[in-house]
Amino acid sequence: MSRGSVPPVGPPTGPPGDDTGCTVLHVDMDAFYASVSLLTRPELRGLPVIVGGGGTRGVVLSATYEARVHGVHSAMPMMRARRMCPQAVVVAPDHDAYARASHGVMEVFRSITPLVEPISLDEAFLDVRGAARRLGTPQQIGEHIRATIEDEQGITCSVGVASTKFVAKLASARCKPDGLLVVPADDVVAFLHPLPVGALWGVGGKTEDVLRGLGLHTVGDIAHTPVATLERALGPAAGKHLSALSWGRDERSVVPHEPDKSIGAENTFGTDVDDPAVIARELLRLSERTAARLRASEQVGRTVSIKVRFADFTTITRAKTLGEPTDVGRVVYDTAMALYEALGLERARIRLVGVRVEGISDAADAPHQLLLGEKEHGWRDAEQAVDRAARRFGAGVVRPATLVDPSGTAGNPPRRAQ
DNA sequence: TCTGGGGTCCTTTTGCCC
DNA sequence: TCTGGGGCAAAAGGACCC
């Protein structure tokens, strides 16, 4: 834990190690997917375990710390991970279990404060400003959360406590696994400046290269570089942003739920595909899935976009904005198909296709000028009937005929109705 | 070493209207 | 009528995050 020897700028001054004004918590589960998977496989505790897709083209979703010491990390291609750590046990992901565990931890957060901003299944920001009277200092609240989650969910987490989101996030990363770190307001600059530039949120591999080209290696280096230089190298938005972050300035507040901006689905084929019929069938499946999710969330979208990734990994997108927003799978599919056909690809080898709907709004306040007898109306009714059947009998019981595979072998990946 | 799937945000280009 | 340019929205690409 870091300690602040100088009183903070704000109101009441506390003792050293002071969390006064540090009302933002970032809570991050340790090796979440792996930890949850171990709950049902306790015999694997203490062993290197990798969670990842079974296919030939998967990546590592998560790995236990025993596997990480061998260099395995998430997003690494499975093939490579297995080579690095052949003794590791590979387990398939169990998304239902992750969703349940996630729900459990989010409930713990919401019992502390309504100001919870989930970032993903396994991490969230909390603004605990209003919880002090009831639950104590931010640090005490953090320890309470850690104990509760370990107790109720059987997994550990790390908590960063700071005055801004971004410093809280770096703090939780710094004390991982199973730790808690307070960065007092007065210590922020000293905490940040020795860190490598890649630690900053928004600095990935490419930006790191650019910064290295400028001779900038640490956050302190960025802080002492004129904003104009950063803007020239990285663009105005990123330049200003990084400069602010390097001094610990981060105005973003904790916001409970941001509405979705887009909803989509994509699939990487087990092996590259050049058969237009297979592509079309996949676009249909992805369109149906996307539209079903729109309907389930009572939303509609105005723009349909497709993504095509070729065998050499180059990727293109094409988009079309509709006259009025939709949640109808058939409309999404027809648009996606038209976009695909307009590419004029002649048996190109394709690795991935995706469908996405953007410009999302609530179905309730969408302009809805369905005329009687309009073709779309029929599709919408049919799809809503399918939704009802799916709710009663399970997803996949009713599907377009072209997606029903009599042999159970075609399709990519094969999915059986039943 | 051969790269998932879900997203967000930013930048640049393009087409349109006035 | 031609041209320039501002303003805008859509499209396309790319970087990044978990």
Side-chain angles (χ1 to χ4, degrees):
Chain A
M1 213 151 309
S2 96
R3 357 189 61 235
S5 46
V6 188
V9 226
T13 295
D18 198 356
D19 60 3
T20 310
C22 291
T23 55
V24 180
L25 268 56
H26 179 257
V27 187
D28 196 351
M29 302 302 123
D30 301 322
F32 180 65
Y33 296 83
S35 304
V36 172
S37 288
L38 288 192
L39 293 175
T40 51
R41 304 282 301 275
E43 73 278 9
L44 298 180
R45 278 189 191 285
L47 299 178
V49 174
I50 298 174
V51 181
T56 48
R57 289 179 147 172
V59 297
V60 174
L61 247 175
S62 178
T64 60
Y65 286 87
E66 290 82 0
R68 293 182 191 207
V69 297
H70 293 91
V72 175
H73 58 81
S74 53
M76 173 183 277
M78 277 302 251
M79 294 297 193
R80 191 171 162 215
R82 299 180 106 123
R83 222 170 302 133
M84 289 183 100
C85 187
Q87 70 274 36
V89 180
V90 175
V91 306
D94 178 354
H95 292 285
D96 290 344
Y98 307 146
R100 277 195 304 275
S102 177
H103 187 258
V105 307
M106 296 297 165
E107 282 303 300
V108 173
F109 298 161
R110 285 190 252 271
S111 73
I112 308 284
T113 169
L115 294 179
V116 176
E117 179 180 336
I119 304 297
S120 63
L121 282 186
D122 79 314
E123 59 180 291
F125 288 107
L126 282 69
D127 185 331
V128 298
R129 199 180 321 226
R133 181 159 318 180
R134 211 162 31 100
L135 298 165
T137 66
Q139 175 166 350
Q140 289 168 335
I141 294 172
E143 291 297 7
H144 168 69
I145 289 172
R146 281 166 34 70
T148 308
I149 287 177
E150 182 154 17
D151 191 45
E152 291 185 2
Q153 302 293 328
I155 58 179
T156 64
C157 64
S158 301
V159 177
V161 182
S163 48
T164 60
K165 286 165 88 169
F166 130 84
V167 175
K169 169 128 174 98
L170 292 182
S172 71
R174 183 53 96 78
C175 64
K176 211 153 238 314
D178 200 10
L180 180 145
L181 176 62
V182 180
V183 180
D186 284 350
D187 293 358
V188 164
V189 168
F191 172 74
L192 289 177
H193 282 196
L195 297 176
V197 292
L200 292 182
W201 225 9
V203 177
K206 308 285 177 177
T207 307
E208 213 174 328
D209 289 347
V210 173
L211 292 172
R212 209 191 343 267
L214 293 173
L216 308 178
H217 298 95
T218 67
V219 175
D221 292 341
I222 292 181
H224 295 103
T225 299
V227 190
T229 307
L230 298 171
E231 290 181 7
R232 228 177 300 121
L234 305 169
K240 277 195 258 298
H241 189 228
L242 285 195
S243 182
L245 291 187
S246 71
W247 287 106
R249 293 197 303 268
D250 178 17
E251 306 291 301
R252 296 166 302 177
S253 56
V254 175
V255 270
H257 358 262
E258 289 288 2
D260 286 333
K261 303 236 163 68
S262 71
I263 289 180
E266 60 191 56
N267 181 47
T268 298
F269 298 110
T271 56
D272 298 340
V273 165
D274 65 358
D275 179 351
V278 174
I279 304 289
R281 206 185 319 137
E282 189 58 26
L283 287 174
L284 175 58
R285 194 174 71 90
L286 297 170
S287 298
E288 300 279 358
R289 194 150 94 195
T290 300
R293 286 176 54 201
L294 280 169
R295 291 192 298 275
S297 60
E298 298 182 321
Q299 292 178 301
V300 290
R302 266 190 80 212
T303 303
V304 174
S305 78
I306 63 164
K307 172 154 117 181
V308 177
R309 174 123 76 210
F310 299 101
D312 68 356
F313 222 71
T314 59
T315 306
I316 59 172
T317 61
R318 291 293 182 270
K320 177 161 174 55
T321 297
L322 307 170
E324 80 182 74
T326 188
D327 61 2
V328 179
R330 202 65 208 191
V331 173
V332 176
Y333 171 65
D334 288 344
T335 311
M337 216 32 219
L339 288 167
Y340 180 77
E341 280 167 350
L343 292 172
L345 302 177
E346 304 243 349
R347 301 201 80 92
R349 293 173 57 71
I350 290 171
R351 178 187 181 93
L352 165 151
V353 289
V355 175
R356 178 163 295 279
V357 174
E358 302 158 19
I360 304 272
S361 56
D362 282 344
D365 34 78
H368 212 284
Q369 32 182 297
L370 278 188
L371 303 168
L372 227 57
E374 195 178 338
K375 201 163 67 182
E376 201 175 290
H377 196 198
W379 283 113
R380 156 181 276 272
D381 287 347
E383 291 178 11
Q384 283 173 344
V386 171
D387 292 343
R388 286 191 294 273
R391 276 197 296 276
R392 286 184 59 184
F393 306 115
V397 280
V398 186
R399 287 178 299 166
T402 55
L403 292 184
V404 177
D405 170 24
S407 69
T409 54
N412 209 334
R415 278 182 51 198
R416 253 144 268 194
Q418 108 65 304

